[in-house]
Amino acid sequence: MTWRGSITVKDKIFGCLPYLLPLVEGITFGGFLLRQFPALGVIFIPILPVVGIYNSFPLAGLIIFFALFLLVVRNEKINRFIRFNTMQAILLSIVLSLCGLLIRILSPVPGADFAIETLANTIFIALVVAVVYSVAQTIMGRYAEIPAISDAVHMQVR
């Protein structure tokens, strides 16, 4: 679905970039899976420098969140397509933070290791699927509709 004018190649590129945020934050959930299947790790080698830079700054996530939200999502001079994708990436990142909190709550429970590993693998696979789907839709110039998240994005992006 396209709204309000045509989408240029520049819009598509800038629409894809924010999806690095949830991917970089969610790579930690893939630790179990990537240890079991090292060949999968090859796919994520290009983003490892970004992960290293992101993890080297203590408040990087908070700073990037506010920068994207205030400078991109709330800036009506920027194309709605870019703002939509940025807000969707931010919401994916928030969902990941909540999932991380859930895993931290479960981690002291004795015998919950299998459940934590399964939950982390599921979160990681769902994240990768959501990011790949969103980037593919963005490259095609369409709005990526992820259930529940896209509805919240439409409410936030005017």
Side-chain angles (χ1 to χ4, degrees):
M1 166 170 51
T2 57
W3 292 351
R4 300 187 185 155
S6 64
I7 297 167
T8 65
V9 173
K10 184 177 96 174
D11 293 340
K12 293 176 185 180
I13 292 169
F14 284 119
C16 289
L17 284 178
Y19 290 107
L20 275 174
L21 178 65
L23 197 58
V24 166
E25 287 184 358
I27 199 84
T28 57
F29 290 104
F32 298 114
L33 193 65
L34 295 176
R35 272 188 298 255
Q36 292 173 354
F37 303 101
L40 286 177
V42 173
I43 298 169
F44 298 101
I45 287 175
I47 68 163
L48 289 180
V50 178
V51 172
I53 293 169
Y54 182 83
N55 290 333
S56 66
F57 295 105
L59 297 175
L62 190 63
I63 292 168
I64 292 171
F65 166 78
F66 279 114
L68 287 175
F69 187 74
L70 296 173
L71 299 175
V72 178
V73 175
R74 291 294 172 207
N75 187 354
E76 293 193 14
K77 293 178 183 174
I78 295 176
N79 188 335
R80 185 181 192 283
F81 185 72
I82 296 170
R83 292 184 298 128
F84 174 88
N85 285 299
T86 303
M87 189 65 205
Q88 187 155 281
I90 288 171
L91 286 181
L92 282 172
S93 178
I94 290 171
V95 168
L96 283 177
S97 297
L98 294 174
C99 291
L101 183 64
L102 178 65
I103 287 179
R104 275 186 239 120
I105 289 170
L106 288 175
S107 59
V109 175
D113 295 339
F114 179 73
I116 291 172
E117 186 174 334
T118 304
L119 184 61
N121 288 341
T122 304
I123 292 167
F124 181 69
I125 291 170
L127 168 71
V128 170
V129 168
V131 168
V132 167
Y133 168 75
S134 297
V135 168
Q137 290 292 91
T138 302
I139 289 171
M140 290 188 284
R142 299 184 198 143
Y143 286 80
E145 297 290 333
I146 299 173
I149 292 177
S150 294
D151 294 336
V153 171
H154 284 299
M155 287 188 271
Q156 287 291 318
V157 178
R158 299 178 212 121

